[in-house]
Amino acid sequence: MGQALKRRTGGLYMMFKKRDKGKNLKRWLLIILAVAVIVPVGYVCVAKLEGKPPAVELSFPSETVPSQFTVNGYAEDTRNGIKQLRISVLQNGKDVVLRDDKFPSAGLTGVGTVQRFPITLDINARKLGLSDGPAIFKILARDYSWRNWWKGNETFLEKEIVFDTRSPAISVLSTQHNVAPGGSGLVIYKLSEPCRKSGVVVGEDLFPGYSGHFSENDIYLSFFAVPLDFEKTDTLLVQAVDAAGNEATSGFYHHVRAKAVVTDTINISENFLTMKLPEFYSVEGFPADASPADQFVFINTTLRAQNNGTILANGRKTENQIFWNDAFGRMPNSARRANFGDRRVYKFQDEVISHATHMGIDLASVKHAPVPSANRGRVVFSGFVGIYGNLVCVDHGYGLMSLYAHLSSVSAKEGDFVEKGSVIGYTGITGLAGGDHLHFGMFVDHMFVDPVEWWDGSWITNNITAKIASVQSMMP
């Protein structure tokens, strides 16, 4: 009986054990099924309910825009994709729609198919019926998020701009502009509005105008230069570009006088090369393995161009005032050894190896002669510049500069204000100089000019100061 009871209770135990296993299996299956459903659904819900709005960026040329311009930018949403992009311009209560795009979605989750959309808008105010004056650019972007009752996250931006479709008016106030190749000139003009850029255009060169000399700030002075290779067909006019980019030009009466070209042949000796070439061994790009003649060509062409760029870059360090008075001075007791604009032909062992144009005047006196400043001004550069050796640049105002090169020593430093006749250094042979002398030069903004004009008091009166006085007499 005991064995029978054991068999019966053991059977019941096995039966209940099988039933428990079945229930546990169902329970685990339900759990697995729930996880398989809830996790993806939860993930989708979390992803679709994210709250980050689309990114939008538009780039305008400026806050004041012309009649025609282009707006570039993009709209981006890397999570749910872009659903809508609407851009319009509001002016005087009129809302002009520039674009209103609806982008599709795909898949079970409804994610947008476009995540980044580049924006390019070519605006033509006249065609859109927009007029001069303020307006507001409005940008709306939505994504495919389920936020906001399935309307999506929203980015709304406004950009205030001003339409300006009118070009500035230019009135040239100075008269009679007689210039020569390599020479200087002055134009005085008046603008109808403030401009981001204005000045005299000579060929492809712009010489900026500066206000501040007259009581009326809309009157500008522009000292300009005429290149040695100026052609009669080259442009010579006043240009102005306003804040919106509208451009205006105005011609003015001018006469460009002819100028004779002088050619000078310079024979380069072996002794000169032996003496001078070592000074340039440390120059970047120096052809150390080349022949002495080729090394000289590198110095006379490549390095000369680099050094001229270094010097002329100082033209924009100018101040808005005239420092100088009367004619510019010349180094006392000096003899002229070379002129401005001389075309130089360099020969070595009876063969032509290089060419250059002399952009200053060489003045020789005694060894280490004192070098005075040609006029009042502020030193904007003092240092060593390749073929020019020790050099000083003096700003005389409104882009007019003088330079003093080949100095043995310098006694003026950057920032010093010097009076006419103040000693700024002493002559020498530093740089590509064969003998002790001063290389004296002048430049306007970014172009070398003939110093002889500025030594001439009559020329200054007729071409510079008389014009300024004439315009000044018109002032109330």
Side-chain angles (χ1 to χ4, degrees):
M1 184 174 177
Q3 293 293 329
L5 181 59
K6 284 183 180 180
R7 284 196 297 270
R8 285 197 295 271
T9 55
L12 288 172
Y13 172 76
M14 293 300 296
M15 180 179 68
F16 284 118
K17 188 174 182 181
K18 288 180 179 180
R19 287 180 181 177
D20 289 342
K21 284 184 178 180
K23 288 180 180 179
N24 288 336
L25 180 60
K26 289 180 181 180
R27 186 180 298 113
W28 281 109
L29 287 174
L30 288 173
I31 292 171
I32 293 170
L33 180 61
V35 170
V37 172
I38 292 172
V39 169
V41 170
Y43 176 80
V44 169
C45 289
V46 170
K48 295 299 292 182
L49 288 171
E50 56 85 20
K52 190 173 182 179
V56 178
E57 183 172 313
L58 290 182
S59 176
F60 292 79
S62 63
E63 293 185 357
T64 302
V65 294
S67 176
Q68 292 182 262
F69 65 98
T70 300
V71 176
N72 293 303
Y74 65 89
E76 182 179 68
D77 192 290
T78 58
R79 294 158 301 279
N80 281 293
I82 304 168
K83 183 177 184 180
Q84 180 186 11
L85 177 65
R86 187 179 191 274
I87 303 176
S88 63
V89 182
L90 178 65
Q91 187 182 63
N92 299 326
K94 179 183 177 182
D95 195 31
V96 180
V97 178
L98 303 178
R99 70 179 310 143
D100 192 356
D101 300 294
K102 307 294 194 302
F103 300 96
S105 63
L108 296 175
T109 60
V111 173
T113 58
V114 176
Q115 293 188 333
R116 183 182 177 91
F117 184 77
I119 301 170
T120 300
L121 297 172
D122 294 319
I123 309 298
N124 188 315
R126 292 186 179 92
K127 288 184 178 180
L128 294 171
L130 301 169
S131 59
D132 278 14
I136 298 176
F137 260 77
K138 302 193 301 181
I139 304 101
L140 170 67
R142 290 194 178 100
D143 64 11
Y144 271 99
S145 169
W146 289 347
R147 288 289 186 101
N148 302 315
W149 300 100
W150 290 274
K151 291 181 180 179
N153 296 305
E154 179 179 288
T155 296
F156 182 73
L157 302 175
E158 290 187 347
K159 170 69 176 178
E160 295 183 4
I161 61 169
V162 176
F163 281 99
D164 178 4
T165 65
R166 299 176 183 176
S167 297
I170 303 171
S171 300
V172 178
L173 305 180
S174 54
T175 60
Q176 301 291 332
H177 306 88
N178 298 312
V179 291
S184 309
L186 170 66
V187 174
I188 306 174
Y189 59 92
K190 185 174 184 177
L191 298 179
S192 61
E193 61 176 295
C195 290
R196 70 185 187 196
K197 180 177 72 172
S198 75
V200 173
V201 175
V202 181
E204 297 182 354
D205 292 287
L206 173 68
F207 295 88
Y210 299 91
S211 65
H213 183 77
F214 300 99
S215 58
E216 298 180 17
N217 285 329
D218 55 358
I219 298 179
Y220 293 74
L221 292 174
S222 177
F223 288 95
F224 66 95
V226 178
L228 286 165
D229 58 356
F230 182 84
E231 300 288 344
K232 290 184 178 180
T233 55
D234 289 341
T235 303
L236 214 166
L237 48 80
V238 178
Q239 180 191 68
V241 181
D242 67 15
N246 300 304
E247 180 179 325
T249 57
S250 175
F252 56 89
Y253 174 80
H254 64 274
H255 173 67
V256 181
R257 305 186 303 273
K259 184 175 182 178
V261 176
V262 176
T263 300
D264 186 19
T265 299
I266 299 177
N267 291 300
I268 304 298
S269 67
E270 290 186 10
N271 287 337
F272 175 79
L273 295 179
T274 300
M275 177 181 69
K276 281 294 173 182
L277 289 178
E279 296 181 25
F280 300 93
Y281 286 169
S282 61
V283 172
E284 184 177 354
F286 184 84
D289 297 330
S291 67
D294 288 339
Q295 290 175 344
F296 172 81
V297 172
F298 167 82
I299 295 168
N300 197 46
T301 55
T302 301
L303 185 59
R304 180 183 295 274
Q306 293 173 359
N307 295 161
N308 287 343
T310 298
I311 293 170
L312 296 173
N314 292 290
R316 294 295 171 93
K317 296 179 181 178
T318 192
E319 295 186 43
N320 286 23
Q321 58 181 305
I322 293 178
F323 292 130
W324 55 271
N325 289 313
D326 305 319
F328 281 62
R330 169 177 166 169
M331 188 172 75
N333 305 314
S334 61
R336 194 186 305 187
R337 297 304 186 197
N339 296 309
F340 177 85
D342 286 354
R343 306 292 173 85
R344 289 179 166 179
V345 177
Y346 296 88
K347 285 187 174 182
F348 178 67
Q349 297 178 347
D350 294 326
E351 289 188 12
V352 175
I353 61 172
S354 188
H355 297 80
T357 301
H358 192 240
M359 305 306 284
I361 294 179
D362 288 347
L363 299 171
S365 181
V366 298
K367 186 177 181 181
H368 294 176
V371 175
S373 176
N375 221 312
R376 300 176 73 248
R378 191 177 305 281
V379 177
V380 293
F381 181 87
S382 177
F384 189 89
V385 183
I387 66 169
Y388 293 94
N390 293 321
L391 179 142
V392 173
C393 283
V394 178
D395 171 34
H396 302 288
Y398 294 116
L400 180 63
M401 304 270 172
S402 61
L403 68 93
Y404 313 79
H406 302 314
L407 303 178
S408 59
S409 62
V410 174
S411 54
K413 63 182 184 299
E414 187 173 330
D416 286 350
F417 191 89
V418 293
E419 296 292 338
K420 183 177 180 179
S422 299
V423 175
I424 58 176
Y426 297 84
T427 60
I429 59 171
T430 58
L432 198 62
D436 188 293
H437 73 282
L438 168 69
H439 173 94
F440 175 71
M442 295 191 69
F443 58 100
V444 174
D445 190 69
H446 65 282
M447 189 174 293
F448 293 113
V449 296
D450 192 348
V452 171
E453 293 180 336
W454 295 92
W455 285 343
D456 185 345
S458 296
W459 179 90
I460 290 176
T461 298
N462 295 331
N463 294 277
I464 308 296
T465 55
K467 291 180 181 179
I468 295 174
S470 176
V471 173
Q472 189 68 58
S473 69
M474 303 177 190
M475 301 293 101

